[in-house]
Amino acid sequence: MTLRSRVLILVSALVVLVGVAAASVLHASARADRREQARPGGPRITAGRLTLTGGGPRVVFRNMAWGPHRDELVSAPADDPSGPRTASSVKCLRFYAASGTGVCLQAVHGPVQDTYRAVILDARLKERARYDVPGIPSRARVSPSGRFAAWTAFVGGDSYAGTAFSTRAAIVDTRTGKLTPTLEAYRIVKDGRPYRAADVNFWGVTFAADDRTFYATMATHGSTYLVRGDLHTRTLTTLHKNVECPSLSPDGTRIAYKKRVKGAPKDAPWHLYVLNLHTGHETALAEPRSVDDQLVWRDNHTLVYALPGDYGADLYTVPADGTGTGKAHRVATAAVSPAYVN
């Protein structure tokens, strides 16, 4: 092959590569433009004033519908989450709120890679404080009093369904600003004995009403456990095996969670359960599909969670007592990370 032929082949290859790159950029740009355009038949959304207190019972969540308000926090009537939405200008990947305090996990888009942060919001969605998050946000919670906020982030791997991932679960006192960046700093009591292991991971914090007790998932040596945390003594005590993403009921008596079940597909391994903290009895819920979410209690009788949908995620409800086979039903499309406020 002559030098001239080699140069022609090199030039042709460069032209092809430039063309592919240009097409990829144009495709990405066109897709971004489509995401900014509302789809016919989607939820009705208008910009307005959104607060975390007052205005009656409402549900606040991340809007997933395509259009100018995608990823913004929106509110809808608590008894009609599929109704008209009032949109704020605040964008979150994950969100939760209680007693006028919100936690918003955000992406900060950079020229090379994204970074992440947790923003503490007041009742008017104004920023009170912000904290760096070391990886992709996964879960968020606020204590019933609004005093404490927690979040979980992936710092390695990309799925709970895998075996090679690492998480960081952080808790902050929203009054003082004191941050515990990882629950790994707490002392662990497993099966009544002190426990230490290099592979310990925590995620899915949920708070009790006493501003002292919380619950979370601990993973170690291939197993997961429900742990009870104590903010005063900085201890974590194992309570029950095979519990992920716990959510404490408003009356403080039960934990809703996802549980790995034998025989389920590796990419869809979870079923939903409720654990009675006093008796240890587990109740399977009437949702046959695998759910990868931290459930939210709408009240003491009903649970809310997200499943994949046309826009990314939709919200569903199911009775908390295990009844109602086939009654798990969709209550809102294009929605994720709900919090019920008054």
Side-chain angles (χ1 to χ4, degrees):
M1 182 181 294
T2 66
L3 177 60
R4 182 173 181 272
S5 298
R6 291 177 179 175
V7 171
L8 288 174
I9 291 172
L10 178 60
V11 170
S12 298
L14 289 174
V15 169
V16 170
L17 289 174
V18 169
V20 170
S24 298
V25 170
L26 290 173
H27 176 74
S29 177
R31 188 171 184 271
D33 289 341
R34 289 197 301 272
R35 288 164 65 96
E36 291 298 317
Q37 298 175 2
R39 286 185 177 181
R44 183 160 63 89
I45 309 171
T46 56
R49 183 171 176 266
L50 195 161
T51 63
L52 301 179
T53 57
R58 290 160 296 124
V59 58
V60 179
F61 53 88
R62 174 189 172 191
N63 171 58
M64 301 289 286
W66 286 14
H69 300 293
R70 182 176 172 86
D71 296 327
E72 291 183 12
L73 294 181
V74 298
S75 69
D79 59 357
D80 184 20
S82 64
R85 301 176 180 182
T86 300
S88 70
S89 59
V90 178
K91 292 188 176 184
C92 303
L93 298 176
R94 288 283 175 175
F95 169 77
Y96 198 75
S99 296
T101 297
V103 58
C104 171
L105 305 184
Q106 299 177 331
V108 182
H109 302 295
V112 178
Q113 64 180 9
D114 292 347
T115 57
Y116 303 94
R117 66 190 179 197
V119 178
I120 306 301
L121 304 172
D122 67 12
R124 296 184 178 182
L125 300 186
K126 301 299 182 183
E127 180 179 321
R128 293 173 51 192
R130 67 170 62 179
Y131 303 88
D132 292 336
V133 174
I136 300 172
S138 172
R139 309 294 181 217
R141 278 296 188 268
V142 175
S143 65
S145 70
R147 177 171 179 178
F148 293 96
W151 55 86
T152 303
F154 286 115
V155 295
D158 58 4
S159 172
Y160 284 126
T163 57
F165 69 88
S166 182
T167 58
R168 294 288 184 275
I171 296 178
V172 66
D173 186 328
T174 65
R175 294 182 188 173
T176 67
K178 182 180 179 181
L179 174 69
T180 299
T182 173
L183 291 183
E184 294 171 29
Y186 276 42
R187 182 171 62 90
I188 302 169
V189 178
K190 180 177 178 290
D191 301 327
R193 298 180 178 181
Y195 181 79
R196 297 186 69 178
D199 70 338
V200 167
N201 278 291
F202 298 97
W203 65 84
V205 172
T206 183
F207 293 98
D210 61 3
D211 278 342
R212 174 171 181 169
T213 307
F214 67 92
Y215 299 86
T217 292
M218 181 182 80
T220 183
H221 290 190
S223 297
T224 60
Y225 301 85
L226 174 68
V227 294
R228 181 180 61 239
D230 189 314
L231 291 166
H232 292 183
T233 63
R234 295 173 65 85
T235 57
L236 294 158
T237 304
T238 59
L239 300 179
H240 199 82
K241 199 171 182 179
N242 197 6
V243 172
E244 298 185 54
C245 297
S247 180
L248 184 64
S249 61
D251 61 13
T253 63
R254 291 157 293 160
I255 291 283
Y257 61 101
K258 61 180 189 179
K259 172 183 177 178
R260 291 179 184 268
V261 295
K262 293 182 179 179
K266 289 185 178 180
D267 61 346
W270 301 289
H271 283 186
L272 299 181
Y273 284 78
V274 167
L275 173 70
N276 186 305
L277 289 171
H278 297 306
T279 66
H281 178 71
E282 293 181 319
T283 299
L285 302 185
E287 170 55 83
R289 294 163 291 187
S290 180
V291 176
D292 183 9
D293 197 14
Q294 186 174 17
L295 291 82
V296 170
W297 292 80
R298 188 181 72 187
D299 50 41
N300 280 311
H301 311 289
T302 308
L303 289 156
V304 185
Y305 51 94
L307 281 170
D310 291 340
Y311 296 93
D314 299 331
L315 293 180
Y316 290 77
T317 64
V318 69
D321 60 2
T323 61
T325 302
K327 287 189 178 180
H329 65 283
R330 186 171 62 186
V331 294
T333 60
V336 73
S337 288
Y340 286 82
V341 302
N342 288 306

